[in-house]
Amino acid sequence: MIEIQRDPLTSQDIRDLLNEHLADMYATSPPESVHALDIERLKAPDIMFWSARQGGQLLGCIALKHHTAAMAEIKSMRTAKAARGKGVAKALLDHLEQFAIAEGVSMLYLETGAEPYFTAARQLYLSHGYQVCGPFADYQPDPLSVFMQKAL
């Protein structure tokens, strides 16, 4: 059973997963198109961060950044390589959405890449009712970014 809990961002395995995430983002996109946050920025008071584990093994993570009381953004969605294809991303996304609804968020947004590397991520979000939209919050138009939204 997948256990999803708030994470203090202090364990080595979560640091390793987030560093892998950042390395992949910089390997697939130019720096100006990378919007992933490092661990210190994920500790900001307007961000909630969760990890998914099974038997103590880290499976993945996700974060929610509040922009306003009713508007939030999905950040740092990542599944560990060994856990891919096992429903971890869906479980994390469902958890985040239920939390957001309980918090009074009515609109969720996200930014992901437009490159082929991000195809699976875009398909996951589309299959969960997200729709492509324009830039939101302080994002600027970027041909290497795909912006998505979902009304809750």
Side-chain angles (χ1 to χ4, degrees):
M1 177 176 184
I2 297 173
E3 298 175 10
I4 300 172
Q5 297 182 341
R6 288 283 308 274
D7 193 296
L9 295 156
T10 56
S11 66
Q12 189 59 50
D13 60 355
I14 200 69
R15 289 180 175 280
D16 291 345
L17 184 65
L18 289 169
N19 286 335
E20 174 187 285
H21 179 61
L22 285 171
D24 281 352
M25 297 306 98
Y26 283 102
T28 57
S29 302
E32 64 273 12
S33 294
V34 174
H35 303 287
L37 302 177
D38 63 24
I39 290 174
E40 292 311 310
R41 290 172 60 200
L42 286 168
K43 291 180 179 180
D46 60 344
I47 296 179
M48 304 282 291
F49 186 87
W50 295 270
S51 61
R53 294 178 182 275
Q54 188 169 41
Q57 179 182 1
L58 180 62
L59 304 175
C61 61
I62 195 167
L64 180 74
K65 178 180 180 178
H66 283 276
H67 288 280
T68 68
M71 176 190 166
E73 176 184 2
I74 298 170
K75 299 295 290 182
S76 299
M77 172 79 138
R78 181 72 172 193
T79 301
K81 289 178 184 171
R84 292 186 184 155
K86 298 179 181 176
V88 174
K90 180 187 181 320
L92 284 164
L93 190 55
D94 289 345
H95 180 85
L96 180 140
E97 288 179 356
Q98 291 306 310
F99 178 86
I101 290 167
E103 290 283 303
V105 172
S106 59
M107 187 66 73
L108 274 178
Y109 290 87
L110 64 94
E111 180 276 336
T112 190
E115 298 96 331
Y117 176 84
F118 300 98
T119 299
R122 292 190 306 270
Q123 289 175 339
L124 172 73
Y125 295 125
L126 289 168
S127 73
H128 278 77
Y130 289 80
Q131 299 176 339
V132 175
C133 66
F136 61 92
D138 58 354
Y139 287 99
Q140 299 300 313
D142 182 345
L144 299 179
S145 287
V146 174
F147 304 99
M148 302 179 96
Q149 66 181 10
K150 180 179 181 178
L152 298 177

